[in-house]
Amino acid sequence: MLGQEFRAGLSLPIKTPPRTKAGIIDLITEEAAITAAPGEELRVEMAVSEGALVAQGAPLARLRGHPQIAFVAPMAGRVASITLRPGHRLGEIVLFREADGGRFRHDRAAASSGRDEVAVRALMQQAGLWSALRSRPFGHMPRADEKPAAIFVMAVDTRPHAPDPSEALKGKEEAFARGLDALTGFTEGPVFVCQSRGANVLSDASNGRLRIVTTGERHPQGLAGFQIHAHFPAGLKAPVWDIHAEEVAALGALLASGHLPETRLVSIAGAALSESRLVRCQPGADLRGLSYGAVRPGNHILLSGSALDGHEARWLAPRDRQSTVLPRHGQRRRGHWFGAALSRAARPLPIIPTAALEQAFGAALPAAAMTRALASGDDETAVRLGALSLLEEDLALADYVTAAEPRLSTMLQGILARVAAEEG
Amino acid sequence: MIRGIWDRETVALLLLAAIMPMALTFLWFGGSGAIGRLALALIVAGLWHLIFMLARAQPPSFAGAIAALAVAMLVPEELGMLQLALGISFGSVMAELVFGGWGRNVVNPATVTLAFLGFSFPAAPWPELVLPIAWAAIPAALIGVGFGVMSGRIVGGAVLAGVFALAFGVEPGPVLPAAGVVLVLLVCDPVASAATGGGRWLNGLLYGGLVVLFMLAWKTAAPVQIAVSAALFSSLAAPLLDEAAIGLWLARRRRRHG
């Protein structure tokens, strides 16, 4: 039974060339931008204007309703352009690198012990670390005063060619422990640390509220959604947060020194590359800069995220730690109009319950019942089966496997939006 | 961003590939009569798929060929062409196409065709399956389960029921090969069977149990008739079994997570 749980999931044949011999490269791109995560609406008030010189970690914009939550500069540089969409919604704030901007030091005096929850919360919000947290149901940045029922620290990532979080934590063990300690102050519930077998991110749960979850190697076991579904389902009254382990280490470093770490570990992979890379770059890095010199000749697509759940983008999205470069196939041969009409008339296309479908859901829930509930817009059943713990990215594998049309992840988004609207 | 291959037609083609051993054995031993029946079933089912494509914009599916093959193998003998065409039309239209095509149906169209013909023409004798077809069902099930298009749990449940019956001294006789062939051809259809783990075990057990029950209590029935009737009932019960399995799963989760 236990063995079966570890074996659940799929290993995917997604091609990428071998990694460079150089190991992990430090690569700060000349341009970087802060953007909103796909699907997230952030109404902001600008704190700087175009042309201003900013330090790394200095606030660029603040949330309109909650000015204590800031979005900070990913590197020292000059504000090149600010794009806001209607309603003051954050589009992108682009920076050009200028090393003499320096580093911004946040006032950590009140929070440095890590014990005072209110001070830690305020520090995270003003230092731009708040957006590293993600709250379920609905998957947005938590409200300023939200109390989670549990927190999941993801020290595992099974997405194809994702960087290994335990690699990112090497040398930062102390900061990670400090951050984890501060994180436990946010909740009265448990804090789960998910790690893969053999990775000793955390060996003993000395703190009584820390729980270690060991996951298997196959996708989607390393996604926060399925771990939350298995160990502490999120509910409307009991939000569950998840955060990447590297961001926990960043919190620890912030508490210790007042400085935000300058880089994160990012992997660049994909079939259109001549070599895969593992780099340390700033958040919001320019994807073209990251893959520069490693792309094969020809048309290609740059994705922020993995080949499964990535979005075509220019900048690394806020919570993403990988970029995928895929060849862009010339104009898809247009099928016959009759075939197109037939397949459009049959949407949503029926999905046959096979073993592949079940494994795409990590064998964690009744997959056929879930896909049926999603396709028919049966919100109640989907919620009963655990839709509130899941997000778009969790169904990306099922979308890939079944070639569902319309995508299951899109339909899940619709259900979550309806539930959110009902809740007001 | 990238798309996989496990859409409806891939599954249908894999199922078709899985039952190929049985189909070839059937054609080898059945001779021209078998080929004629198969051709007729394919033509009638294909015609209805064509009509529904033109009138209702439903994409035709290779699953129609699987149903036609099952009908050709299991249909009662000595039926005229008109009667056969009528039965295949009824099964294909009423059990599959009016629901929107394969993938949305409740019961396997071949099961409905066979039950319809069996009830309508009770005087027509059911076929005697030659033993090699039953042997060919084993590789067919292995291929299907290996590709994940058939459920190992359903097969396991049915085998378990058979083993129980044997342990209690039930003599299987000629019902065993017929039950095996029907298990692979009709009961293991991923659409018309249960779709949850527990539900699939129950589905297999129910099918095996019904076969044993009919064998013991329904003395006048032919082996294929017993198996087809059991397949029809277990297929009708599949949604109920799924509901039970999901209810159980939810209750377990509620107990664990509150």
Side-chain angles (χ1 to χ4, degrees):
Chain A
M1 194 67 202
L2 199 72
Q4 197 182 356
E5 256 169 45
F6 277 114
R7 269 183 282 121
L10 299 166
S11 36
L12 296 161
I14 292 172
K15 273 183 262 160
T16 188
R19 233 169 229 170
T20 46
K21 302 263 178 342
I24 301 176
I25 315 164
D26 284 308
L27 183 66
I28 304 286
T29 58
E30 287 303 314
E31 297 173 38
I34 60 172
T35 51
E40 201 161 20
E41 298 282 358
L42 301 170
R43 294 162 76 94
V44 296
E45 205 71 77
M46 290 306 302
V48 293
S49 51
E50 283 182 15
L53 184 70
V54 293
Q56 184 259 345
L60 295 181
R62 297 177 182 283
L63 211 56
R64 251 192 157 186
H66 300 278
Q68 69 271 37
I69 300 180
F71 301 93
V72 303
M75 62 174 178
R78 203 167 284 280
V79 180
S81 76
I82 297 169
T83 314
L84 295 182
R85 289 185 290 117
H88 280 258
R89 287 188 175 80
L90 177 62
E92 57 181 34
I93 303 173
V94 182
L95 302 183
F96 288 160
R97 185 172 162 207
E98 265 183 47
D100 47 2
R103 291 182 79 180
F104 189 88
R105 196 186 169 93
H106 294 276
D107 176 21
R108 62 180 183 98
S112 60
S113 72
R115 296 272 173 254
D116 184 356
E117 186 252 329
V118 178
V120 174
R121 191 181 279 257
L123 180 64
M124 270 183 96
Q125 291 177 350
Q126 61 158 303
L129 260 183
W130 197 248
S131 54
L133 292 165
R134 186 168 49 177
S135 157
R136 297 172 200 239
F138 315 129
H140 44 61
M141 184 171 76
R143 289 191 318 272
D145 55 349
E146 192 170 291
K147 279 245 179 249
I151 301 178
F152 279 73
V153 175
M154 298 309 293
V156 59
D157 195 345
T158 50
R159 277 175 274 219
H161 308 306
D164 182 3
S166 59
E167 184 82 33
L169 288 179
K170 260 185 201 144
K172 298 181 183 167
E173 289 82 4
E174 199 186 324
F176 178 70
R178 190 193 298 266
L180 203 57
D181 191 44
L183 215 52
T184 47
F186 285 121
T187 173
E188 267 136 42
V191 174
F192 294 86
V193 179
C194 304
Q195 57 185 21
S196 58
R197 259 187 302 185
N200 267 327
V201 173
L202 194 69
S203 43
D204 62 323
S206 45
N207 186 328
R209 292 217 317 260
L210 284 182
R211 309 248 178 95
I212 297 175
V213 175
T214 311
T215 68
E217 269 116 57
R218 291 186 187 167
H219 199 50
Q221 289 205 51
L223 286 179
F226 286 100
Q227 295 305 332
I228 292 173
H229 174 82
H231 297 288
F232 203 104
L236 292 169
K237 295 273 168 337
V240 174
W241 292 358
D242 70 87
I243 182 171
H244 194 274
E246 204 178 358
E247 303 283 10
V248 177
L251 171 63
L254 179 70
L255 287 170
S257 67
H259 290 303
L260 271 178
E262 287 173 290
T263 58
R264 59 167 64 169
L265 190 67
V266 171
S267 111
I268 298 126
L273 292 174
S274 55
E275 57 175 35
S276 301
R277 286 177 173 173
L278 197 58
V279 302
R280 284 188 207 283
C281 66
Q282 73 271 50
D286 182 9
L287 296 181
R288 295 188 295 195
L290 291 182
S291 57
Y292 182 74
V295 184
R296 281 208 194 125
N299 231 334
H300 60 272
I301 316 173
L302 283 173
L303 300 182
S304 172
S306 74
L308 295 177
D309 60 358
H311 295 262
E312 209 169 337
R314 163 95 197 267
W315 315 102
L316 192 66
R319 294 189 190 96
D320 283 346
R321 300 191 130 69
Q322 64 182 120
S323 164
T324 310
V325 189
L326 298 174
R328 190 195 294 275
H329 297 295
Q331 195 138 41
R332 190 67 63 77
R333 201 170 56 83
R334 284 175 64 193
H336 194 268
W337 61 268
F338 190 69
L342 276 185
S343 68
R344 235 172 282 141
R347 281 167 51 137
L349 299 178
I351 291 172
I352 312 296
T354 57
L357 178 68
E358 218 161 281
Q359 296 304 319
F361 278 90
L365 47 86
M370 184 57 131
T371 46
R372 250 169 241 157
L374 289 174
S376 59
D378 181 356
D379 302 0
E380 229 169 89
T381 309
V383 166
R384 222 154 36 112
L385 294 175
L388 291 184
S389 302
L390 301 180
L391 289 179
E392 218 183 324
E393 61 170 33
D394 301 314
L395 295 192
L397 179 61
D399 275 335
Y400 163 69
V401 165
T402 59
E405 189 64 44
R407 285 165 185 265
L408 296 171
S409 43
T410 314
M411 294 192 276
L412 174 73
Q413 225 179 1
I415 284 185
L416 289 179
R418 280 200 294 276
V419 174
E422 249 171 60
E423 283 307 301
Chain B
M1 272 311 289
I2 49 176
R3 309 315 323 258
I5 56 161
W6 287 89
D7 60 357
R8 182 179 80 154
E9 289 315 295
T10 313
V11 178
L13 282 173
L14 279 173
L15 275 172
L16 203 57
I19 61 171
M20 262 311 134
M22 297 169 79
L24 294 177
T25 330
F26 163 68
L27 290 178
W28 181 265
F29 286 96
S32 59
I35 296 175
R37 278 207 299 282
L38 179 58
L40 180 69
L42 280 173
I43 289 170
V44 175
L47 216 58
W48 281 112
H49 274 256
L50 191 71
I51 289 172
F52 269 76
M53 177 177 81
L54 295 175
R56 306 266 317 138
Q58 284 179 18
S61 166
F62 284 106
I66 303 171
L69 199 62
V71 169
M73 284 170 80
L74 300 170
V75 78
E77 283 163 349
E78 294 174 20
L79 287 177
M81 255 172 73
L82 183 69
Q83 292 160 333
L84 259 181
L86 208 63
I88 297 166
S89 300
F90 179 80
S92 186
V93 172
M94 298 311 285
E96 183 182 74
L97 293 171
V98 292
F99 290 101
W102 194 60
R104 299 210 172 93
N105 52 329
V106 183
V107 188
N108 189 323
T111 316
V112 172
T113 302
L114 294 169
F116 175 79
L117 287 173
F119 285 125
S120 312
F121 310 106
W126 289 84
E128 303 269 341
L129 292 176
V130 292
L131 218 46
I133 299 184
W135 285 114
I138 296 174
L142 286 179
I143 297 173
V145 173
F147 278 110
V149 292
M150 292 182 191
S151 168
R153 294 189 173 109
I154 295 179
V155 180
V159 169
L160 206 65
V163 169
F164 264 126
L166 281 179
F168 282 100
V170 178
E171 198 60 49
V175 177
L176 183 62
V181 169
V182 168
L183 174 68
V184 174
L185 277 182
L186 304 182
V187 182
C188 278
D189 175 1
V191 173
S193 58
T196 54
R200 281 171 170 160
W201 279 111
L202 288 177
N203 196 336
L205 279 171
L206 179 67
Y207 168 71
L210 282 174
V211 167
V212 173
L213 184 72
F214 290 161
M215 203 165 66
L216 295 176
W218 189 5
K219 295 292 182 202
T220 55
V224 173
Q225 191 177 12
I226 288 177
V228 167
S229 311
L232 179 66
F233 284 123
S234 64
S235 176
L236 287 174
L240 186 70
L241 302 176
D242 267 344
E243 202 59 33
I246 291 174
L248 209 65
W249 181 78
L250 284 174
R252 252 202 337 260
R253 265 178 82 75
R254 212 168 296 129
R255 207 169 53 225
R256 193 179 327 144
H257 299 298

